[in-house]
Amino acid sequence: MRRASKGSRTLSERVYAALLVAYPAGFRREYGREMRRLFADRRREAARPLALPRLWCETLADLLKTAPVEHLDSLTKGEGMKRTLRTVAVAVTAYAFTLLVVAPLFARNVGTMPGFVSNLLDALISTGLVFNFVYLVLTLPRWLEGPRAVRAALVITTAVVGLLITLMMMSGGPHARVNLLIIVAQILALLVWFTLHLWWVLRRRAAGPPAAA
């Protein structure tokens, strides 16, 4: 049977393919193509009235039931569990150090710093907290991995930072002005965290898995 090309997929098939991101990346690599093929076959057979809505109800129910199980299984398997615990431990340590040491030290000395330096350090701290949290949320359940996770974290963090700046401007009243130094500092901080994370994931990918003994 000739397989349909990507351009000839129906809307239902494209939506289903997008929903598969709810499964861990390893699971998608192993079973994603077969799951998409099976869904396409079932959709073609759903010719009766209400058959397509019934197919979607069954599909969504199965996704809600099995995706969390697969994430739990991927987190608790051997090296996956070790890596998850190690990542969480490093993240908790980094957040504790930032909140208990770096942030108070910055607050104590901010008055003695040049304006742009204080804006940049403030942006690095606040944006770093958001960026790293978003990256962990995306990668620990294996929703996204590698450069895709870094790019998604950049987009989400940029949206959060932009929203916070907008709310600050709105709370300042109709005559509030945009502080260009703050905007530039936030952009530089986003680029710094994006570059560091991208360098890290590309470095790990280049290193590859450890050789078997």
Side-chain angles (χ1 to χ4, degrees):
M1 181 183 295
R2 185 176 61 88
R3 289 184 298 181
S5 65
K6 184 176 180 180
S8 64
R9 288 180 184 172
T10 65
L11 176 60
S12 289
E13 291 172 36
R14 290 195 293 269
V15 171
Y16 178 73
L19 288 176
L20 290 182
V21 74
Y23 289 95
F27 182 88
R28 295 197 306 271
R29 284 193 294 269
E30 187 170 356
Y31 302 108
R33 180 178 297 180
E34 181 65 20
M35 292 173 72
R36 290 192 298 270
R37 186 194 64 77
L38 179 60
F39 179 84
D41 291 342
R42 294 187 63 190
R43 186 207 58 78
R44 283 191 289 270
E45 295 170 358
R48 294 174 299 173
L50 300 180
L52 186 59
R54 185 179 300 112
L55 170 62
W56 267 112
C57 289
E58 295 173 355
T59 299
L60 293 176
D62 180 70
L63 184 145
L64 291 174
K65 180 178 67 175
T66 58
V69 174
E70 293 300 331
H71 278 290
L72 180 62
D73 183 61
S74 69
L75 289 176
T76 55
K77 282 195 302 187
E79 289 300 319
M81 183 62 172
K82 293 179 181 178
R83 186 172 69 170
T84 299
L85 292 176
R86 184 166 57 247
T87 302
V88 171
V90 171
V92 170
T93 302
Y95 272 90
F97 180 77
T98 301
L99 295 174
L100 298 177
V101 178
V102 176
L105 186 63
F106 169 74
R108 189 178 305 120
N109 296 279
V110 65
T112 63
M113 300 177 183
F116 182 71
V117 173
S118 65
N119 288 332
L120 182 57
L121 290 176
D122 180 55
L124 286 171
I125 294 172
S126 57
T127 303
L129 292 173
V130 177
F131 197 109
N132 285 279
F133 176 77
V134 172
Y135 182 77
L136 287 174
V137 169
L138 293 174
T139 55
L140 283 181
R142 308 292 193 270
W143 284 329
L144 291 174
E145 292 181 332
R148 291 181 61 190
V150 180
R151 289 193 292 267
L154 175 65
V155 172
I156 296 173
T157 306
T158 301
V160 172
V161 170
L163 177 61
L164 292 176
I165 293 177
T166 302
L167 292 176
M168 290 173 59
M169 290 177 56
M170 293 175 61
S171 64
H175 301 292
R177 296 181 179 180
V178 178
N179 189 324
L180 291 180
L181 291 181
I182 293 178
I183 301 296
V184 172
Q186 292 292 341
I187 293 174
L188 289 176
L190 285 167
L191 291 176
V192 166
W193 287 112
F194 173 76
T195 303
L196 287 174
H197 280 75
L198 188 60
W199 169 80
W200 176 252
V201 299
L202 292 178
R203 174 178 173 272
R204 293 180 62 185
R205 176 175 292 184

